[in-house]
Amino acid sequence: MDLMGMMGKLKETQQKIEDTKKRLDTVLIDEQSTDGLLKVTLTANRKIKSITIDDTLLEDKDQLEDYLILTINKAIEKASKTNEAELDAVAKMDMPMIPGMDNLFK
């Protein structure tokens, strides 16, 4: 086993993963409530970029809170799936199969 070659490959893969994480800051995930009254946009790195609230939701605090929780959670779930798929693809493409190393970059 070429340890120096593996270390070089590991550094190269780490850089690709960091580049992918930066790119995921530009990938936007949109989610909205089923009736379209609340819209949320976040990055694939799960950072909220915008929230749009229809005026009718401002009249009922409890309803607004429910909408926010449901819609933001759905958006985070979508963003997480996108994030994991992208990072897994980079890691699997470039990393030699080493037992126990599959979760190293998450």
Side-chain angles (χ1 to χ4, degrees):
M1 185 183 304
D2 177 15
L3 190 56
M4 292 305 290
M6 282 182 58
M7 293 304 289
K9 190 75 166 165
L10 184 61
K11 283 187 186 285
E12 182 181 315
T13 301
Q14 284 176 317
Q15 184 59 51
K16 285 183 180 179
I17 288 172
E18 289 307 312
D19 292 345
T20 300
K21 286 180 180 178
K22 286 178 188 169
R23 185 178 58 75
L24 289 173
D25 277 333
T26 66
V27 175
L28 299 180
I29 308 295
D30 294 312
E31 185 59 60
Q32 66 180 4
S33 59
T34 53
D35 57 12
L37 296 179
L38 179 81
K39 297 176 183 172
V40 175
T41 300
L42 49 121
T43 70
N45 281 328
R46 299 172 292 271
K47 303 286 185 222
I48 295 174
K49 296 301 259 181
S50 71
I51 297 176
T52 305
I53 302 169
D54 188 272
D55 288 343
T56 59
L57 288 176
L58 299 177
E59 298 165 11
D60 185 342
K61 180 180 180 289
D62 290 335
Q63 182 183 18
L64 175 56
E65 289 170 350
D66 290 343
Y67 269 61
L68 284 167
I69 290 168
L70 290 171
T71 307
I72 290 172
N73 280 334
K74 284 196 309 187
I76 289 170
E77 186 177 328
K78 276 186 180 178
S80 293
K81 286 179 182 177
T82 301
N83 184 290
E84 289 170 17
E86 292 284 331
L87 291 177
D88 283 350
V90 171
K92 286 179 182 166
M93 177 176 56
D94 290 328
M95 281 301 295
M97 292 307 295
I98 302 170
M101 301 270 295
D102 50 344
N103 290 320
L104 183 65
F105 299 108
K106 291 187 179 180

